Amino acid sequence: MSTPLTFQETVLRLKQYWSDRGCILQEPYDVEVGAGTMAPETFLRVLGPQPYSVAYVQPSRRPADGRYGDNPNRLYKHQQLQVILKPAPTDVIDQYLGSLKAIGIDLSKHDIKFEEDNWEAPTLGAWGIGWQVMLDGLEISQFTYFQQCGGFELDLVPAELTYGLERIVAFLQNVDSVYDIEWTRGVQYRTVRHLEEYEFSKYNFELADVGMLWQLFDLHEKECQRLLKMPDTVLPAYDQVLKCSHVFNLLDSRGAISVTERVGVIGRVRKLALGVATAWMKRNEAAA
Amino acid sequence: MSLPFLLEIGTEEIPDWMIIPALNNLQDMFQALLDQHVLGGKVTAVDATPRRLVLRAEGLLDRQADVEELVLGPPTSVGAGAAAGFAKKMGTTADQLVTQSTAKGEYFSFAKRTQGQATSAVLARELPNLILKIQWPKTMYWNDKATRFIRPIRWLVALLGDAVVPFEIAGVKSGNITFGHRILGKPSISVTIQDFEDQLRTNGVILSANERREKIEAGISVRIKPDPDLLHTLTYITEFPTPILGSFDRSYLDLPQEVLVTVMRHHQKYLSVEDADGKLAPHFIAVMNTNADPDGLVRHGNERVLRARFNDARFFWDQDQKKALTARLEDLKTVTFQAKLGSYYDKTMRVVELVKQLGGDERAALLCKCDLTSDMVKEFTDLQGIVGGLYAQAQGEPEDVWRAIYDHYKPLSMEDQIPSTAAGRILSLADKYDTLVECLKVGMTPTGSRDPFGLRRAAQGIVRIIVEGRVTSAPPLEGEFLRDRVEYYFRDVRGFAYDEVRACMAAGWADLLELETRLVRVQAVRLTPDFEPIAASFKRIKNILKQAQFSDSTFHANLLEPGPERDLYEAILGTQGQPLESRIGPLRPKVDLFFDKVLVNAPDPNIRLNRLALLHNLLTEFSDLADFSEIVTERQS
């Protein structure tokens, strides 16, 4: 067997692969998000009738998943490769399987299965139908046909492919801990990211100032509402939604949200997200 | 001419649990289509893999028979002009008309012949609709919004004899081209009705689910924990299943077996392996969707995933032990039970109170939900309760307490057992009762197939625990929802006749053990020859009282006339205090005679009212046992 790819080679190969199939290559969105889906390149671009295909690596922050760098498989921040193909081509699954070959997986020697796993994000008014893709018993991807986003039924059904990069590379390199992944030759994932996992776990679970977070939440919410009343500020307004969402996740990992508050806060984020989607759609229609 | 038919709906991977109902639905609809359009033929087989639904039929006509019907025109008396008009309307000429005599006179008429359509044309027209009408729990669109299916349709094979039945769904045209296994087969294989299954087999697809199941079973050479549901799933998530044996380090066997099995079964879809004594062995069976694992890569990969999962579980276990269950009670304030119903802390307090009233174990009630904040349950939610029980045991709680916690979600299904200890039964009962009552209170009544809080299951659990666990200190049972579950339980689960259940429940159902006793009695007495006639009379009495709008009236024995009326009264009096079983015999002839000879609707209103009162008294004699008018009898009077 040839030498397995490093973390960054895997990313490069996948980007090349999707670039060859007509995708725009984007860089990660620079506001904290919990998943690649939340980046505007997905959340907003799937709305409306314009075809759009894009691929990007999205560092995804989930404060409550942090483990101080102690757990071999759990991370506060993991890297997702996100691919949106809008509309989904009829051979989308074959294309996806081709991407696995491109990173050195000989499918004739492995077991691949598509197991039912529908996706739903109530805060984004979004859901889709799809699978988790299992490779030799390991979930390596989520595959979703979006049906609704921001409360709108979609004009063109996109396929969303998300690759859990750490998992896939750990599999390719046959290591049991993500920290043992070779990022590039001679440099381990541990060297690049461990400190970040430790410090942010500490911050997210112990140190984040709850009072300040609540204030931030209110401020970002107000700013979003203000922007939604103005023309041509849909994208800035959406940044404020993302800020609210991240602050909410931080409050959650600090155990600062009571049961009664929780429903209300989720409702507030959702309302903002739906407001942004509505504004985006209106602008689409006006442009058409 | 008689033709075979083949339909294959090629899709992306359909969830395993939806396939059988869909196949049945397809079979029924297609047979109905053949029958409705008189195309002849019978569906002979349906089968499926995750990527294809297949239907075969035999004996189809190549076209519908022509139909001739006689169309009546104008009377012959109106003359030739009208005849010509009628002929024109029928698309013919006047000389083709015949004369038809009817009771009203003679009429022009025409033997109109409708030519049968070609079967292929009928199928081509009807199939798109039929396919899209297959019922699924949740559908999607992928091309145009109006076309919904469970997953995208990617190809369609539709053959009538040697010819393609041409139609189109969401841009996919039917043809004779199928697709093989994603890895083992070729795409785009042309097939005939005859070679279809062989072509699939050559291309890595075993169409027959039975054969796939047998292939899995035949490939397992170790003793496994029997698991028909998982085997079913594995059969329907594979097109070419091949089992492989994997192993894990013996040291993981220190973890509770429940945890190991859950990880393997629910998360990895592995069958658990047992040693000769029935104990869990450090092996598992994974079922691949391919033909071989030549380099052992698949086994190795699965072992690696399982190791990580087991490590997680071990980590969770160790981590969770750092905070005792008792210390987790406060944390439940941040765990939502239901938005309108507050936190699990609130729920716990209600359950503790209820358990106290019912004489259960309060300590168990206090701790029963504390495992919800553990890492183990957050990761393996199916293990809620079980983990709490195991932790309570590990933390030195008495056996009564930890067993009650361990069991308190039971029974999880109709097949599942009820909790094994008295304390467990009370706790489970109280927990379910609280869920049910509180959810109904805020209007979360299940509708149709939607029952997000599992209220039906909770109610069913309540009924089973009380009856099968002989629980004498049950909370008050009332309301239509619970009533339906009680009725369902005794009728469908216990097999009592529906009218016996209704009759007995009409006499009260708050005490289920007492209800069960009455049901057993009524079931037995029903077999005696006098029962049905007397039940029929009871129904009659009820109708009479209803028609007379009888509410209540004092009965006066001195108003009775001698003969059948007084005889009946004395029979009632004479048998009073005896059980139903020995009263029916003496009463029945008296009742019959009464209805034969006595006019209830007597001209004297006082007599009439008194007779109604007598009948009313008779009816109420047994009303604490059952309402016999609910019994369905042969002799409905």
Side-chain angles (χ1 to χ4, degrees), chain A residues 74 111 113 115-116 129 131 137 145 147 154 174-176, chain B residues 12-13 17 141 151 268-269 287 289 300 304 307 312 333:
Chain A
R74 260 155 234 267
D111 173 37
K113 294 197 194 86
E115 298 184 1
E116 178 192 18
I129 293 270
W131 308 271
Y145 288 109
Q147 301 284 293
L154 300 178
N174 192 23
V175 293
D176 278 350
Chain B
E12 293 174 1
E13 279 76 355
W17 56 281
Y141 66 99
R151 289 291 185 277
Q268 297 301 131
K269 300 195 171 77
V287 175
N289 182 30
H300 178 80
R304 188 178 155 275
R307 192 161 59 237
D312 273 356
K333 288 180 176 168

PDB file of all heavy atoms in Angstrom, chain A residues 74 111 113 115-116 129 131 137 145 147 154 174-176, chain B residues 12-13 17 141 151 268-269 287 289 300 304 307 312 333:
ATOM      1  N   ARG A  74     -12.845  13.450  20.065  1.00  0.00           N
ATOM      2  CA  ARG A  74     -13.783  14.544  20.234  1.00  0.00           C
ATOM      3  C   ARG A  74     -13.060  15.875  20.262  1.00  0.00           C
ATOM      4  O   ARG A  74     -12.063  16.028  20.951  1.00  0.00           O
ATOM      5  CB  ARG A  74     -14.550  14.368  21.533  1.00  0.00           C
ATOM      6  CG  ARG A  74     -15.896  13.787  21.287  1.00  0.00           C
ATOM      7  CD  ARG A  74     -16.365  13.085  22.517  1.00  0.00           C
ATOM      8  NE  ARG A  74     -16.715  11.728  22.145  1.00  0.00           N
ATOM      9  CZ  ARG A  74     -17.933  11.374  21.803  1.00  0.00           C
ATOM     10  NH1 ARG A  74     -18.915  12.241  21.854  1.00  0.00           N
ATOM     11  NH2 ARG A  74     -18.198  10.140  21.427  1.00  0.00           N
ATOM     12  N   ASP A 111     -15.853  -1.523   2.467  1.00  0.00           N
ATOM     13  CA  ASP A 111     -17.299  -1.715   2.537  1.00  0.00           C
ATOM     14  C   ASP A 111     -17.943  -0.352   2.704  1.00  0.00           C
ATOM     15  O   ASP A 111     -17.683   0.338   3.694  1.00  0.00           O
ATOM     16  CB  ASP A 111     -17.620  -2.606   3.748  1.00  0.00           C
ATOM     17  CG  ASP A 111     -19.115  -2.709   3.994  1.00  0.00           C
ATOM     18  OD1 ASP A 111     -19.874  -2.748   3.007  1.00  0.00           O
ATOM     19  OD2 ASP A 111     -19.520  -2.753   5.177  1.00  0.00           O
ATOM     20  N   LYS A 113     -21.544   1.919   2.799  1.00  0.00           N
ATOM     21  CA  LYS A 113     -22.999   1.823   2.915  1.00  0.00           C
ATOM     22  C   LYS A 113     -23.584   3.218   3.120  1.00  0.00           C
ATOM     23  O   LYS A 113     -22.953   4.079   3.718  1.00  0.00           O
ATOM     24  CB  LYS A 113     -23.399   0.982   4.137  1.00  0.00           C
ATOM     25  CG  LYS A 113     -23.009  -0.483   4.061  1.00  0.00           C
ATOM     26  CD  LYS A 113     -23.801  -1.289   5.096  1.00  0.00           C
ATOM     27  CE  LYS A 113     -23.242  -2.675   5.320  1.00  0.00           C
ATOM     28  NZ  LYS A 113     -22.165  -2.679   6.332  1.00  0.00           N
ATOM     29  N   GLU A 115     -26.602   4.832   4.984  1.00  0.00           N
ATOM     30  CA  GLU A 115     -27.615   4.517   5.988  1.00  0.00           C
ATOM     31  C   GLU A 115     -28.449   5.754   6.307  1.00  0.00           C
ATOM     32  O   GLU A 115     -27.915   6.841   6.503  1.00  0.00           O
ATOM     33  CB  GLU A 115     -26.946   3.976   7.257  1.00  0.00           C
ATOM     34  CG  GLU A 115     -26.197   2.672   6.974  1.00  0.00           C
ATOM     35  CD  GLU A 115     -25.582   2.043   8.223  1.00  0.00           C
ATOM     36  OE1 GLU A 115     -25.762   2.607   9.318  1.00  0.00           O
ATOM     37  OE2 GLU A 115     -24.916   1.003   8.082  1.00  0.00           O
ATOM     38  N   GLU A 116     -29.744   5.533   6.367  1.00  0.00           N
ATOM     39  CA  GLU A 116     -30.688   6.639   6.554  1.00  0.00           C
ATOM     40  C   GLU A 116     -30.256   7.584   7.676  1.00  0.00           C
ATOM     41  O   GLU A 116     -29.974   7.162   8.790  1.00  0.00           O
ATOM     42  CB  GLU A 116     -32.066   6.075   6.922  1.00  0.00           C
ATOM     43  CG  GLU A 116     -33.084   7.172   7.179  1.00  0.00           C
ATOM     44  CD  GLU A 116     -34.364   6.653   7.817  1.00  0.00           C
ATOM     45  OE1 GLU A 116     -34.362   5.549   8.373  1.00  0.00           O
ATOM     46  OE2 GLU A 116     -35.373   7.384   7.751  1.00  0.00           O
ATOM     47  N   ILE A 129     -33.132  15.409   3.463  1.00  0.00           N
ATOM     48  CA  ILE A 129     -33.252  13.950   3.474  1.00  0.00           C
ATOM     49  C   ILE A 129     -31.898  13.391   3.072  1.00  0.00           C
ATOM     50  O   ILE A 129     -31.278  13.916   2.154  1.00  0.00           O
ATOM     51  CB  ILE A 129     -34.300  13.536   2.416  1.00  0.00           C
ATOM     52  CG1 ILE A 129     -35.693  14.008   2.820  1.00  0.00           C
ATOM     53  CG2 ILE A 129     -34.244  12.063   2.117  1.00  0.00           C
ATOM     54  CD1 ILE A 129     -36.477  13.043   3.633  1.00  0.00           C
ATOM     55  N   TRP A 131     -28.386  10.533   4.118  1.00  0.00           N
ATOM     56  CA  TRP A 131     -27.725   9.377   4.722  1.00  0.00           C
ATOM     57  C   TRP A 131     -26.482   9.806   5.493  1.00  0.00           C
ATOM     58  O   TRP A 131     -25.901  10.851   5.231  1.00  0.00           O
ATOM     59  CB  TRP A 131     -27.225   8.401   3.650  1.00  0.00           C
ATOM     60  CG  TRP A 131     -28.220   7.979   2.656  1.00  0.00           C
ATOM     61  CD1 TRP A 131     -29.060   6.903   2.758  1.00  0.00           C
ATOM     62  CD2 TRP A 131     -28.487   8.559   1.373  1.00  0.00           C
ATOM     63  NE1 TRP A 131     -29.827   6.793   1.622  1.00  0.00           N
ATOM     64  CE2 TRP A 131     -29.502   7.796   0.756  1.00  0.00           C
ATOM     65  CE3 TRP A 131     -27.970   9.656   0.680  1.00  0.00           C
ATOM     66  CZ2 TRP A 131     -29.999   8.076  -0.504  1.00  0.00           C
ATOM     67  CZ3 TRP A 131     -28.481   9.940  -0.575  1.00  0.00           C
ATOM     68  CH2 TRP A 131     -29.482   9.159  -1.157  1.00  0.00           C
ATOM     69  N   GLY A 137     -17.678   0.670   8.621  1.00  0.00           N
ATOM     70  CA  GLY A 137     -18.282   0.905   9.932  1.00  0.00           C
ATOM     71  C   GLY A 137     -18.035   2.291  10.503  1.00  0.00           C
ATOM     72  O   GLY A 137     -18.511   2.607  11.589  1.00  0.00           O
ATOM     73  N   TYR A 145     -29.916  15.815   0.780  1.00  0.00           N
ATOM     74  CA  TYR A 145     -30.653  16.594  -0.206  1.00  0.00           C
ATOM     75  C   TYR A 145     -31.479  17.622   0.564  1.00  0.00           C
ATOM     76  O   TYR A 145     -32.441  17.254   1.240  1.00  0.00           O
ATOM     77  CB  TYR A 145     -31.605  15.703  -1.011  1.00  0.00           C
ATOM     78  CG  TYR A 145     -30.930  14.789  -1.996  1.00  0.00           C
ATOM     79  CD1 TYR A 145     -30.872  13.417  -1.771  1.00  0.00           C
ATOM     80  CD2 TYR A 145     -30.375  15.282  -3.167  1.00  0.00           C
ATOM     81  CE1 TYR A 145     -30.270  12.569  -2.687  1.00  0.00           C
ATOM     82  CE2 TYR A 145     -29.767  14.443  -4.088  1.00  0.00           C
ATOM     83  CZ  TYR A 145     -29.714  13.082  -3.840  1.00  0.00           C
ATOM     84  OH  TYR A 145     -29.125  12.253  -4.744  1.00  0.00           O
ATOM     85  N   GLN A 147     -34.211  20.200   1.483  1.00  0.00           N
ATOM     86  CA  GLN A 147     -35.585  20.400   1.046  1.00  0.00           C
ATOM     87  C   GLN A 147     -36.062  21.796   1.419  1.00  0.00           C
ATOM     88  O   GLN A 147     -36.792  22.416   0.676  1.00  0.00           O
ATOM     89  CB  GLN A 147     -36.493  19.343   1.685  1.00  0.00           C
ATOM     90  CG  GLN A 147     -36.100  17.914   1.341  1.00  0.00           C
ATOM     91  CD  GLN A 147     -36.485  17.514  -0.060  1.00  0.00           C
ATOM     92  OE1 GLN A 147     -37.662  17.401  -0.393  1.00  0.00           O
ATOM     93  NE2 GLN A 147     -35.501  17.314  -0.919  1.00  0.00           N
ATOM     94  N   LEU A 154     -37.042  24.815  -1.330  1.00  0.00           N
ATOM     95  CA  LEU A 154     -35.990  25.225  -2.260  1.00  0.00           C
ATOM     96  C   LEU A 154     -36.396  25.015  -3.721  1.00  0.00           C
ATOM     97  O   LEU A 154     -37.028  24.024  -4.063  1.00  0.00           O
ATOM     98  CB  LEU A 154     -34.712  24.452  -1.944  1.00  0.00           C
ATOM     99  CG  LEU A 154     -34.195  24.702  -0.516  1.00  0.00           C
ATOM    100  CD1 LEU A 154     -32.963  23.888  -0.227  1.00  0.00           C
ATOM    101  CD2 LEU A 154     -33.920  26.192  -0.303  1.00  0.00           C
ATOM    102  N   ASN A 174      -4.615   5.234   9.579  1.00  0.00           N
ATOM    103  CA  ASN A 174      -4.709   4.122  10.515  1.00  0.00           C
ATOM    104  C   ASN A 174      -4.181   4.482  11.909  1.00  0.00           C
ATOM    105  O   ASN A 174      -3.367   3.761  12.482  1.00  0.00           O
ATOM    106  CB  ASN A 174      -3.970   2.898   9.950  1.00  0.00           C
ATOM    107  CG  ASN A 174      -4.283   1.638  10.741  1.00  0.00           C
ATOM    108  OD1 ASN A 174      -5.322   1.564  11.400  1.00  0.00           O
ATOM    109  ND2 ASN A 174      -3.392   0.669  10.697  1.00  0.00           N
ATOM    110  N   VAL A 175      -4.647   5.615  12.424  1.00  0.00           N
ATOM    111  CA  VAL A 175      -4.272   5.982  13.790  1.00  0.00           C
ATOM    112  C   VAL A 175      -5.540   6.045  14.642  1.00  0.00           C
ATOM    113  O   VAL A 175      -6.620   6.303  14.135  1.00  0.00           O
ATOM    114  CB  VAL A 175      -3.534   7.341  13.863  1.00  0.00           C
ATOM    115  CG1 VAL A 175      -2.173   7.227  13.193  1.00  0.00           C
ATOM    116  CG2 VAL A 175      -4.361   8.467  13.234  1.00  0.00           C
ATOM    117  N   ASP A 176      -5.399   5.794  15.942  1.00  0.00           N
ATOM    118  CA  ASP A 176      -6.556   5.733  16.820  1.00  0.00           C
ATOM    119  C   ASP A 176      -6.928   7.082  17.423  1.00  0.00           C
ATOM    120  O   ASP A 176      -8.020   7.243  17.950  1.00  0.00           O
ATOM    121  CB  ASP A 176      -6.318   4.718  17.945  1.00  0.00           C
ATOM    122  CG  ASP A 176      -6.620   3.295  17.473  1.00  0.00           C
ATOM    123  OD1 ASP A 176      -7.175   3.144  16.361  1.00  0.00           O
ATOM    124  OD2 ASP A 176      -6.293   2.342  18.200  1.00  0.00           O
TER     125      ASP A 176
ATOM    126  N   GLU B  12     -31.968   5.701  -5.217  1.00  0.00           N
ATOM    127  CA  GLU B  12     -30.860   5.728  -4.276  1.00  0.00           C
ATOM    128  C   GLU B  12     -31.343   5.050  -2.988  1.00  0.00           C
ATOM    129  O   GLU B  12     -32.521   4.759  -2.854  1.00  0.00           O
ATOM    130  CB  GLU B  12     -30.408   7.181  -4.066  1.00  0.00           C
ATOM    131  CG  GLU B  12     -29.791   7.709  -5.362  1.00  0.00           C
ATOM    132  CD  GLU B  12     -29.432   9.199  -5.342  1.00  0.00           C
ATOM    133  OE1 GLU B  12     -29.638   9.858  -4.316  1.00  0.00           O
ATOM    134  OE2 GLU B  12     -28.951   9.686  -6.380  1.00  0.00           O
ATOM    135  N   GLU B  13     -30.422   4.820  -2.066  1.00  0.00           N
ATOM    136  CA  GLU B  13     -30.676   3.903  -0.948  1.00  0.00           C
ATOM    137  C   GLU B  13     -31.905   4.264  -0.108  1.00  0.00           C
ATOM    138  O   GLU B  13     -31.964   5.297   0.552  1.00  0.00           O
ATOM    139  CB  GLU B  13     -29.429   3.811  -0.064  1.00  0.00           C
ATOM    140  CG  GLU B  13     -28.359   2.866  -0.596  1.00  0.00           C
ATOM    141  CD  GLU B  13     -27.548   3.402  -1.773  1.00  0.00           C
ATOM    142  OE1 GLU B  13     -27.867   4.500  -2.279  1.00  0.00           O
ATOM    143  OE2 GLU B  13     -26.591   2.717  -2.189  1.00  0.00           O
ATOM    144  N   TRP B  17     -36.252   0.026   6.860  1.00  0.00           N
ATOM    145  CA  TRP B  17     -37.511  -0.303   7.550  1.00  0.00           C
ATOM    146  C   TRP B  17     -38.740   0.102   6.756  1.00  0.00           C
ATOM    147  O   TRP B  17     -39.862  -0.257   7.084  1.00  0.00           O
ATOM    148  CB  TRP B  17     -37.544   0.357   8.931  1.00  0.00           C
ATOM    149  CG  TRP B  17     -37.364   1.845   8.897  1.00  0.00           C
ATOM    150  CD1 TRP B  17     -36.181   2.512   8.756  1.00  0.00           C
ATOM    151  CD2 TRP B  17     -38.368   2.848   8.990  1.00  0.00           C
ATOM    152  NE1 TRP B  17     -36.405   3.868   8.754  1.00  0.00           N
ATOM    153  CE2 TRP B  17     -37.729   4.104   8.906  1.00  0.00           C
ATOM    154  CE3 TRP B  17     -39.757   2.803   9.144  1.00  0.00           C
ATOM    155  CZ2 TRP B  17     -38.431   5.312   8.966  1.00  0.00           C
ATOM    156  CZ3 TRP B  17     -40.446   3.995   9.193  1.00  0.00           C
ATOM    157  CH2 TRP B  17     -39.789   5.226   9.112  1.00  0.00           C
ATOM    158  N   TYR B 141     -38.477  15.744  -2.686  1.00  0.00           N
ATOM    159  CA  TYR B 141     -38.432  16.013  -4.122  1.00  0.00           C
ATOM    160  C   TYR B 141     -36.981  16.272  -4.471  1.00  0.00           C
ATOM    161  O   TYR B 141     -36.175  16.639  -3.626  1.00  0.00           O
ATOM    162  CB  TYR B 141     -39.350  17.175  -4.497  1.00  0.00           C
ATOM    163  CG  TYR B 141     -38.963  18.529  -3.955  1.00  0.00           C
ATOM    164  CD1 TYR B 141     -38.272  19.454  -4.757  1.00  0.00           C
ATOM    165  CD2 TYR B 141     -39.285  18.913  -2.659  1.00  0.00           C
ATOM    166  CE1 TYR B 141     -37.918  20.706  -4.260  1.00  0.00           C
ATOM    167  CE2 TYR B 141     -38.935  20.156  -2.168  1.00  0.00           C
ATOM    168  CZ  TYR B 141     -38.249  21.044  -2.971  1.00  0.00           C
ATOM    169  OH  TYR B 141     -37.903  22.279  -2.473  1.00  0.00           O
ATOM    170  N   ARG B 151     -36.666   8.460  -2.150  1.00  0.00           N
ATOM    171  CA  ARG B 151     -35.337   8.920  -2.535  1.00  0.00           C
ATOM    172  C   ARG B 151     -35.398   9.119  -4.056  1.00  0.00           C
ATOM    173  O   ARG B 151     -36.323   8.614  -4.692  1.00  0.00           O
ATOM    174  CB  ARG B 151     -34.256   7.887  -2.189  1.00  0.00           C
ATOM    175  CG  ARG B 151     -33.955   7.703  -0.691  1.00  0.00           C
ATOM    176  CD  ARG B 151     -33.278   8.923  -0.097  1.00  0.00           C
ATOM    177  NE  ARG B 151     -32.870   8.732   1.293  1.00  0.00           N
ATOM    178  CZ  ARG B 151     -33.668   8.885   2.348  1.00  0.00           C
ATOM    179  NH1 ARG B 151     -34.932   9.226   2.176  1.00  0.00           N
ATOM    180  NH2 ARG B 151     -33.197   8.719   3.573  1.00  0.00           N
ATOM    181  N   GLN B 268     -23.335   0.342  15.550  1.00  0.00           N
ATOM    182  CA  GLN B 268     -22.528  -0.265  14.484  1.00  0.00           C
ATOM    183  C   GLN B 268     -23.263  -1.341  13.693  1.00  0.00           C
ATOM    184  O   GLN B 268     -22.742  -1.857  12.718  1.00  0.00           O
ATOM    185  CB  GLN B 268     -21.247  -0.854  15.090  1.00  0.00           C
ATOM    186  CG  GLN B 268     -20.316   0.180  15.730  1.00  0.00           C
ATOM    187  CD  GLN B 268     -19.853   1.245  14.754  1.00  0.00           C
ATOM    188  OE1 GLN B 268     -19.930   2.435  15.038  1.00  0.00           O
ATOM    189  NE2 GLN B 268     -19.392   0.839  13.569  1.00  0.00           N
ATOM    190  N   LYS B 269     -24.469  -1.689  14.132  1.00  0.00           N
ATOM    191  CA  LYS B 269     -25.217  -2.763  13.466  1.00  0.00           C
ATOM    192  C   LYS B 269     -24.427  -4.071  13.422  1.00  0.00           C
ATOM    193  O   LYS B 269     -24.415  -4.778  12.415  1.00  0.00           O
ATOM    194  CB  LYS B 269     -25.646  -2.334  12.058  1.00  0.00           C
ATOM    195  CG  LYS B 269     -26.553  -1.107  12.047  1.00  0.00           C
ATOM    196  CD  LYS B 269     -27.253  -0.904  10.723  1.00  0.00           C
ATOM    197  CE  LYS B 269     -28.307   0.177  10.792  1.00  0.00           C
ATOM    198  NZ  LYS B 269     -27.804   1.539  10.784  1.00  0.00           N
ATOM    199  N   VAL B 287     -21.749  -7.090   8.895  1.00  0.00           N
ATOM    200  CA  VAL B 287     -22.186  -7.553   7.577  1.00  0.00           C
ATOM    201  C   VAL B 287     -21.830  -6.493   6.546  1.00  0.00           C
ATOM    202  O   VAL B 287     -22.306  -5.364   6.597  1.00  0.00           O
ATOM    203  CB  VAL B 287     -23.689  -7.870   7.567  1.00  0.00           C
ATOM    204  CG1 VAL B 287     -24.148  -8.240   6.166  1.00  0.00           C
ATOM    205  CG2 VAL B 287     -23.990  -9.015   8.528  1.00  0.00           C
ATOM    206  N   ASN B 289     -21.498  -4.897   2.660  1.00  0.00           N
ATOM    207  CA  ASN B 289     -22.273  -4.882   1.418  1.00  0.00           C
ATOM    208  C   ASN B 289     -21.315  -5.086   0.249  1.00  0.00           C
ATOM    209  O   ASN B 289     -21.239  -4.282  -0.667  1.00  0.00           O
ATOM    210  CB  ASN B 289     -23.026  -3.553   1.283  1.00  0.00           C
ATOM    211  CG  ASN B 289     -23.890  -3.516   0.037  1.00  0.00           C
ATOM    212  OD1 ASN B 289     -24.372  -4.557  -0.417  1.00  0.00           O
ATOM    213  ND2 ASN B 289     -24.068  -2.335  -0.529  1.00  0.00           N
ATOM    214  N   HIS B 300     -10.425  -4.893   9.873  1.00  0.00           N
ATOM    215  CA  HIS B 300      -9.547  -4.003  10.626  1.00  0.00           C
ATOM    216  C   HIS B 300     -10.229  -2.656  10.894  1.00  0.00           C
ATOM    217  O   HIS B 300     -10.202  -2.145  12.016  1.00  0.00           O
ATOM    218  CB  HIS B 300      -8.251  -3.802   9.846  1.00  0.00           C
ATOM    219  CG  HIS B 300      -7.292  -2.863  10.513  1.00  0.00           C
ATOM    220  ND1 HIS B 300      -6.476  -3.255  11.542  1.00  0.00           N
ATOM    221  CD2 HIS B 300      -7.043  -1.546  10.314  1.00  0.00           C
ATOM    222  CE1 HIS B 300      -5.750  -2.217  11.941  1.00  0.00           C
ATOM    223  NE2 HIS B 300      -6.078  -1.167  11.215  1.00  0.00           N
ATOM    224  N   ARG B 304     -11.355  -1.106  14.513  1.00  0.00           N
ATOM    225  CA  ARG B 304     -10.819   0.172  14.941  1.00  0.00           C
ATOM    226  C   ARG B 304     -11.944   1.104  15.426  1.00  0.00           C
ATOM    227  O   ARG B 304     -11.840   1.754  16.467  1.00  0.00           O
ATOM    228  CB  ARG B 304     -10.091   0.786  13.737  1.00  0.00           C
ATOM    229  CG  ARG B 304      -9.312   2.018  14.037  1.00  0.00           C
ATOM    230  CD  ARG B 304      -8.604   2.505  12.778  1.00  0.00           C
ATOM    231  NE  ARG B 304      -8.380   3.918  12.911  1.00  0.00           N
ATOM    232  CZ  ARG B 304      -9.268   4.852  12.593  1.00  0.00           C
ATOM    233  NH1 ARG B 304     -10.420   4.508  12.066  1.00  0.00           N
ATOM    234  NH2 ARG B 304      -8.995   6.115  12.780  1.00  0.00           N
ATOM    235  N   ARG B 307     -13.277  -0.171  18.707  1.00  0.00           N
ATOM    236  CA  ARG B 307     -12.331   0.128  19.782  1.00  0.00           C
ATOM    237  C   ARG B 307     -12.520   1.571  20.262  1.00  0.00           C
ATOM    238  O   ARG B 307     -12.586   1.844  21.457  1.00  0.00           O
ATOM    239  CB  ARG B 307     -10.902  -0.102  19.273  1.00  0.00           C
ATOM    240  CG  ARG B 307      -9.845  -0.094  20.358  1.00  0.00           C
ATOM    241  CD  ARG B 307      -8.565  -0.764  19.883  1.00  0.00           C
ATOM    242  NE  ARG B 307      -7.988  -0.112  18.702  1.00  0.00           N
ATOM    243  CZ  ARG B 307      -7.741  -0.715  17.543  1.00  0.00           C
ATOM    244  NH1 ARG B 307      -8.037  -1.994  17.386  1.00  0.00           N
ATOM    245  NH2 ARG B 307      -7.218  -0.052  16.530  1.00  0.00           N
ATOM    246  N   ASP B 312     -14.514   5.247  24.271  1.00  0.00           N
ATOM    247  CA  ASP B 312     -15.422   6.324  24.672  1.00  0.00           C
ATOM    248  C   ASP B 312     -16.261   5.878  25.849  1.00  0.00           C
ATOM    249  O   ASP B 312     -16.385   6.575  26.847  1.00  0.00           O
ATOM    250  CB  ASP B 312     -16.383   6.675  23.518  1.00  0.00           C
ATOM    251  CG  ASP B 312     -15.775   7.707  22.594  1.00  0.00           C
ATOM    252  OD1 ASP B 312     -14.670   8.190  22.892  1.00  0.00           O
ATOM    253  OD2 ASP B 312     -16.409   8.022  21.561  1.00  0.00           O
ATOM    254  N   LYS B 333     -32.279  20.391  36.634  1.00  0.00           N
ATOM    255  CA  LYS B 333     -33.012  21.642  36.397  1.00  0.00           C
ATOM    256  C   LYS B 333     -32.713  22.224  35.027  1.00  0.00           C
ATOM    257  O   LYS B 333     -33.486  23.019  34.503  1.00  0.00           O
ATOM    258  CB  LYS B 333     -32.667  22.662  37.494  1.00  0.00           C
ATOM    259  CG  LYS B 333     -33.283  22.306  38.833  1.00  0.00           C
ATOM    260  CD  LYS B 333     -32.948  23.318  39.917  1.00  0.00           C
ATOM    261  CE  LYS B 333     -33.675  22.939  41.210  1.00  0.00           C
ATOM    262  NZ  LYS B 333     -33.196  23.700  42.360  1.00  0.00           N
TER     263      LYS B 333
END
